[in-house]
Amino acid sequence: MISSYLKIALRSLWNKKAFASINILGLAVGLATCMLILLFVQHESSYDRFNRNADRIFRVTLHGRIGGNDINLAGASAPTGPALMRDYPGVEAYTRLNTNGTFLVKNGERRFLEERVIFTDSNFFNFFSIPLLKGDVNRVLKEPRTVVLTQSTALKYFGNDDPIGKSLTMGSMGLFRVTGVCEDVPSNSHFHYDFFGSMKSVTLGEKWLSSGAHTYVLLRKGYPAEKLTARMPQFVRKYIGPEIQEFLGISYEEYLRKGDKFGFAFQPLTDIHLTSNLENELEGNSNIKYIYIFTAIAAFILLIACINFMNLSTAGSAGRAKEVGVRKVMGSVRQQLMAQFLTESILVTLFALLVAFGLVVLLLPGFNDLAGKQFDLQSILNARMIAYALAGCLVVGLLAGSYPAFFLSAFRPVAVLKGSIQAGVKSGRLRNTLVTVQFVVSIAMIIATMVVYQQLRFIQNKNVGFDKEHVLILHDTHLLGDKAKTFKEQLASLSAVSSVTLAGYLPAGSSNNGTDGFLPENADNNITPYRFTTYQVDEDYLKTLGIGMASGRNFSKAFGGDSASVLINEAAAKQFGWKNPIGKRIRTIGNGTPESRKFYTVVGVTRDFHFRSMHERIAPLVMFYGGDQYQIALRIQTQDIPGLLKTLEKTWKATSDNPFAYSFLDERFSKMYESEQRVGKLFGIFAGLAVVIACLGLFGLATFTTIQRTKEIGVRKVLGASVLSIVSLLSKDFVKLVGIAIVIASPLAWYGMHRWLSDFAYKVSIEWWVFLLAGVLAVSIALLTVSFQSIKAALINPVKSLKAE
């Protein structure tokens, strides 16, 4: 029986090759898109789950409010981990991670600038499930100046030699002995490092109010994190309360009464990648909203593909009506007919699945570039994925083929053999509903794509308060040490360079900025200090970056006292409540004693500029003159960029034997919004796919309608109807469906994009014309799709139409 079903199904598909090809292609595109999206979603959702105790590991985060400024830190002060383990039996273990910047790592002639360096406690490899390939897991990081390398890093520095016991020069920290080699950190980890140095090699602050390290705790089985969180107010009062009194001169209770607070939270390890966007994250994380969005897109595109299958199968049913009638007259029961059509449906989905796998293989490299992933064929062509795909194929085949099976098997043989095929009012309504759903999804995605691109264009074109064009940044100039200022002077003498700055921080890049507490000079000690961002600059900083002054003057070598002066931005002046800040003095809080406080005079106020992402409002900023300056930026005035780069590299090599590296400020600025740009591209591609698949469904419905109305069209033409009037008659019903879809999709799209834009402090408004343009596009696409069948039907000789009837 099954073999008979298969033979009939194959014969039927072969007899309608064009129709079957459209059907298979539509399903294949939907399945391929769904597979790629789900591959991405599965990977994003798997972060840190490879750790054997992932469900019991929590990161300790610090939250509070000081002087009206919120604090949300991914790290905690260094004593936090030991104190938690000492005070609470529910804490089984802790480990900490501490970053220390970029290192020039050397092994003989092999030398590289390394950013992926971390220092950690000795139990790190017992805490996280990153297997050691060489070395004793209990001893590798016990001693100072020891380091564990990843497998690829060991190969990079030592080739095929055994690295254990050998040494590497780690920048100014000197020699480190290699005590272990571990597997490369999995791609689905929220941190990725190549060097794991012993925590005993660095000095951590012992103060609770000082910056510390990323701290993780392992809770005992059955011990809920909520229980630990409930005890944090007492923990904070015990350890941080005395320091607050020491620094501010007020009791902890008074501190709380003013509305300020400190507190620790425990963030599940598996939540970090998708839900965390705190200050000082180890790496940039993703956003769980995108997971929800893309999962919904995958479901909708697959739904659209299934709807197409229903509509296209129904559209082709008239051609098989007599077959159904004859088979019923010959004794076939409805269950047998349903089994036949479901077999055909599943067979089509199997063919579509094979084509989908082929499409995935072809599209995977491009998808990797777009999504920023490194999926390989094994990610798709493995037993687990194939089993899921086959199960999904069976479900899709049954769902997509269920309506055609019920519809075709319900034909009454007498009516069919007489040539009278009526789909019925209910089936017509269902098909119209399905097409409307398709266009609701398509139009919503078109609107979303336009809004995303509007926001990205807004970010690129918005006046960010500095001139990011024609600014070249030289990397790792802190490695020059005392030679940095001489090197700056050499660069300033080049004709292609208009100005050079040596600074501690540059917008849109990795920062060496810090935060500090400030008060007006004569402020009462009971006032909580304002927490401002701080960094060091020189007198050429504003000129090089094109930052304007709101009032006062810039730093200058002519003023010997500028070491006791500061520049603030407009946001800081507003925070202090100053209308005329020039000449006013601010003070730091020091360690709480009068002699430790430092006083600075405000000599200038800069215009506000975006030194962070536009996801955040411009924060108050204090700039100091001189100090630790790590980065060099040049404003260039030449079209011969390759020639300038050669000159710069030559000058660099004459000063340092370190590698020469550079980037452009505008490129770094764009990279800040890399995830949004990827989302925009993905939205555009998926919106296009949704429209194409929806048009296939509309084509199917148009085909079905023209077949049903063949006799009507013939009669109208005999009575003198023009081709245009017939095309209009056949098209208006479809335009109505698209119009209904526009009305439904517009508020849904507005709500979704309003939620997406809420992540930005600076954003576009969703304009009315976006909905109008999306509607016009949808109607135009629908008319183009329908017009093929409508014109074809209108041009048929009425004699043939009536004869066929």
Side-chain angles (χ1 to χ4, degrees):
M1 183 67 73
I2 295 177
S3 62
S4 174
Y5 289 158
L6 288 173
K7 287 179 182 179
I8 296 172
L10 289 170
R11 189 182 301 122
S12 176
L13 294 175
W14 181 256
N15 290 336
K16 297 183 178 181
K17 292 185 285 292
F19 215 68
S21 297
I22 294 173
N23 222 342
I24 290 170
L25 181 61
L27 271 176
V29 171
L31 288 170
T33 304
C34 190
M35 288 165 66
L36 287 172
I37 293 176
L38 292 182
L39 185 66
F40 172 80
V41 169
Q42 182 185 26
H43 183 267
E44 288 289 289
S45 303
S46 70
Y47 266 69
D48 296 303
R49 297 185 187 278
F50 63 87
N51 291 286
R52 59 183 174 273
N53 294 318
D55 60 329
R56 295 195 288 131
I57 297 176
F58 295 81
R59 184 172 68 176
V60 186
T61 58
L62 179 63
H63 305 270
R65 187 171 180 82
I66 301 179
N69 300 117
D70 290 326
I71 300 173
N72 294 287
L73 297 176
S77 45
T80 306
L84 286 170
M85 188 170 173
R86 183 174 58 248
D87 288 8
Y88 302 107
V91 178
E92 186 176 311
Y94 73 89
T95 198
R96 296 167 295 182
L97 301 178
N98 180 260
T99 57
N100 244 18
T102 304
F103 287 79
L104 178 64
V105 181
K106 302 177 184 178
N107 177 32
E109 295 300 317
R110 299 180 183 181
R111 54 182 61 195
F112 303 93
L113 287 173
E114 302 286 2
E115 296 181 347
R116 295 164 62 161
V117 180
I118 199 79
F119 294 89
T120 186
D121 288 307
S122 60
N123 67 338
F124 175 84
F125 291 100
N126 281 317
F127 200 95
F128 291 106
S129 301
I130 301 175
L132 271 180
L133 302 176
K134 294 182 180 180
D136 183 348
V137 70
N138 295 313
R139 300 189 58 81
V140 284
L141 296 176
K142 282 283 187 182
E143 300 175 12
R145 299 188 181 280
T146 54
V147 64
V148 174
L149 310 178
T150 60
Q151 187 175 17
S152 59
T153 304
L155 186 64
K156 175 180 173 181
Y157 282 93
F158 297 99
N160 294 322
D161 295 341
D162 186 356
I164 303 300
K166 294 183 172 62
S167 295
L168 289 172
T169 302
M170 303 282 289
S172 60
M173 295 186 70
L175 291 175
F176 274 65
R177 180 167 53 89
V178 179
T179 55
V181 176
C182 66
E183 289 185 2
D184 289 356
V185 178
S187 62
N188 57 343
S189 170
H190 78 282
F191 59 78
H192 297 90
Y193 293 99
D194 298 322
F195 299 79
F196 296 89
S198 167
M199 188 68 84
K200 294 180 180 179
S201 310
V202 295
T203 302
L204 295 177
E206 292 303 316
K207 291 287 187 180
W208 285 85
L209 293 179
S210 65
S211 59
H214 288 76
T215 302
Y216 302 81
V217 293
L218 175 67
L219 302 186
R220 298 188 185 280
K221 290 182 179 180
Y223 189 87
E226 293 78 11
K227 186 175 181 180
L228 197 58
T229 303
R231 297 185 177 183
M232 285 302 99
Q234 296 88 346
F235 183 82
V236 171
R237 178 176 278 102
K238 177 181 177 180
Y239 290 105
I240 298 181
E243 285 196 9
I244 287 177
Q245 185 161 3
E246 177 186 348
F247 275 81
L248 302 181
I250 60 175
S251 67
Y252 183 64
E253 285 68 24
E254 179 63 24
Y255 171 82
L256 292 178
R257 279 197 293 272
K258 293 194 306 178
D260 294 321
K261 58 183 178 179
F262 261 108
F264 293 104
F266 299 90
Q267 187 176 45
L269 179 68
T270 53
D271 286 356
I272 293 175
H273 178 67
L274 289 178
T275 63
S276 184
N277 188 25
L278 305 175
E279 294 180 54
N280 301 326
E281 291 281 1
L282 290 174
E283 293 184 12
N285 291 322
S286 186
N287 191 327
I288 197 167
K289 286 184 181 179
Y290 295 145
I291 301 302
Y292 295 147
I293 289 171
F294 290 130
T295 301
I297 288 173
F300 283 134
I301 286 182
L302 191 59
L303 174 64
I304 288 173
C306 291
I307 289 172
N308 276 353
F309 188 91
M310 293 182 185
N311 282 334
L312 289 171
S313 296
T314 306
S317 63
R320 301 186 65 184
K322 289 185 178 179
E323 174 196 339
V324 172
V326 169
R327 291 181 65 180
K328 279 199 168 186
V329 169
M330 297 297 292
S332 292
V333 296
R334 187 177 182 185
Q335 288 77 9
Q336 290 175 323
L337 292 171
M338 290 176 62
Q340 172 67 58
F341 294 124
L342 287 174
T343 300
E344 292 182 16
S345 174
I346 293 172
L347 191 62
V348 169
T349 58
L350 285 173
F351 287 143
L353 183 61
L354 292 175
V355 176
F357 272 116
L359 289 174
V360 168
V361 171
L362 290 174
L363 298 174
L364 196 57
F367 183 77
N368 280 337
D369 292 339
L370 198 60
K373 301 295 182 182
Q374 295 180 337
F375 299 127
D376 54 21
L377 291 181
Q378 190 177 358
S379 304
I380 293 290
L381 302 177
N382 58 66
R384 185 177 181 182
M385 181 61 77
I386 292 173
Y388 284 151
L390 287 173
C393 179
L394 180 63
V395 172
V396 169
L398 291 174
L399 290 177
S402 59
Y403 175 69
F406 281 104
F407 171 70
L408 293 171
S409 64
F411 284 167
R412 291 178 292 112
V414 175
V416 167
L417 295 176
K418 283 184 177 181
S420 175
I421 307 170
Q422 297 297 327
V425 176
K426 291 183 180 179
S427 60
R429 287 177 180 173
L430 177 59
R431 286 191 299 275
N432 291 344
T433 300
L434 294 176
V435 171
T436 303
V437 169
Q438 286 181 313
F439 273 89
V440 166
V441 175
S442 302
I443 294 166
M445 292 184 68
I446 291 172
I447 294 170
T449 301
M450 288 194 288
V451 173
V452 170
Y453 275 103
Q454 272 189 295
Q455 177 64 15
L456 292 175
R457 190 170 63 250
F458 170 79
I459 290 170
Q460 293 297 329
N461 298 331
K462 185 181 185 297
N463 181 4
V464 292
F466 62 90
D467 185 0
K468 59 182 182 291
E469 307 296 331
H470 310 298
V471 177
L472 181 68
I473 299 168
L474 301 185
H475 296 182
D476 304 303
T477 47
H478 67 282
L479 298 171
L480 297 175
D482 297 336
K483 300 177 183 178
K485 290 186 178 179
T486 304
F487 182 66
K488 175 194 169 184
E489 292 171 1
Q490 291 175 320
L491 299 181
S493 66
L494 299 175
S495 60
V497 177
S498 61
S499 63
V500 187
T501 183
L502 184 62
Y505 179 82
L506 294 170
S510 57
S511 67
N512 291 299
N513 66 304
T515 57
D516 207 344
F518 295 92
L519 284 172
E521 177 183 13
N522 298 317
D524 192 314
N525 285 336
N526 290 332
I527 297 177
T528 304
Y530 299 108
R531 183 174 175 264
F532 289 172
T533 300
T534 64
Y535 53 85
Q536 291 76 36
V537 302
D538 63 11
E539 65 279 0
D540 296 311
Y541 187 81
L542 302 185
K543 177 184 177 183
T544 303
L545 294 181
I547 298 171
M549 294 293 297
S551 61
R553 64 171 177 85
N554 186 16
F555 291 132
S556 172
K557 289 182 179 179
F559 294 87
D562 270 352
S563 59
S565 302
V566 292
L567 299 176
I568 63 175
N569 66 351
E570 292 173 305
K574 184 178 180 180
Q575 184 81 68
F576 280 125
W578 290 339
K579 292 184 177 179
N580 183 18
I582 306 304
K584 289 187 168 59
R585 299 219 301 167
I586 61 175
R587 64 178 172 87
T588 63
I589 60 173
N591 61 10
T593 60
E595 59 272 15
S596 68
R597 296 168 184 161
K598 294 182 180 180
F599 293 82
Y600 297 91
T601 302
V602 178
V603 297
V605 179
T606 69
R607 298 285 183 191
D608 281 340
F609 63 97
H610 290 274
F611 55 92
R612 292 178 182 163
S613 163
M614 287 190 201
H615 288 281
E616 307 173 47
R617 292 214 162 267
I618 296 174
L621 172 68
V622 175
M623 289 181 274
F624 296 96
Y625 183 60
D628 294 327
Q629 297 170 339
Y630 301 94
Q631 303 183 61
I632 287 181
L634 307 82
R635 179 160 293 281
I636 58 179
Q637 51 182 11
T638 179
Q639 299 298 318
D640 184 18
I641 303 298
L644 174 61
L645 292 174
K646 288 181 181 178
T647 302
L648 293 175
E649 185 172 10
K650 183 178 179 181
T651 308
W652 173 272
K653 289 183 176 179
T655 308
S656 170
D657 60 351
N658 298 320
F660 175 74
Y662 66 90
S663 63
F664 289 92
L665 184 58
D666 56 347
E667 292 174 351
R668 288 169 64 160
F669 183 82
S670 296
K671 197 170 182 179
M672 291 173 63
Y673 306 99
E674 194 171 21
S675 63
E676 285 81 7
Q677 290 168 355
R678 285 175 178 162
V679 168
K681 291 177 182 177
L682 288 169
F683 258 119
I685 292 170
F686 294 145
L689 287 172
V691 169
V692 169
I693 299 173
C695 287
L696 286 174
L698 196 61
F699 178 83
L701 189 56
T703 302
F704 179 80
T705 302
T706 53
I707 291 173
Q708 274 199 317
R709 303 179 73 173
T710 300
K711 185 174 182 179
E712 177 190 347
I713 294 169
V715 171
R716 287 179 178 274
K717 290 199 72 175
V718 168
L719 294 175
S722 66
V723 172
L724 181 62
S725 65
I726 292 174
V727 171
S728 175
L729 174 71
L730 295 175
S731 301
K732 66 179 182 180
D733 291 337
F734 300 112
V735 173
K736 287 179 183 178
L737 297 180
V738 176
I740 294 170
I742 293 170
V743 172
I744 298 172
S746 295
L748 294 176
W750 178 89
Y751 176 76
M753 297 320 296
H754 179 75
R755 291 288 302 271
W756 181 75
L757 288 171
S758 66
D759 285 341
F760 293 88
Y762 302 89
K763 53 184 175 287
V764 296
S765 299
I766 305 176
E767 302 289 345
W768 61 268
W769 60 263
V770 172
F771 304 97
L772 178 62
L773 180 57
V776 170
L777 284 173
V779 171
S780 301
I781 292 169
L783 283 174
L784 285 173
T785 304
V786 172
S787 62
F788 174 77
Q789 283 295 333
S790 299
I791 294 172
K792 181 181 175 182
L795 293 175
I796 293 177
N797 189 328
V799 175
K800 290 184 179 180
S801 300
L802 296 174
K803 185 178 179 181
E805 289 296 321

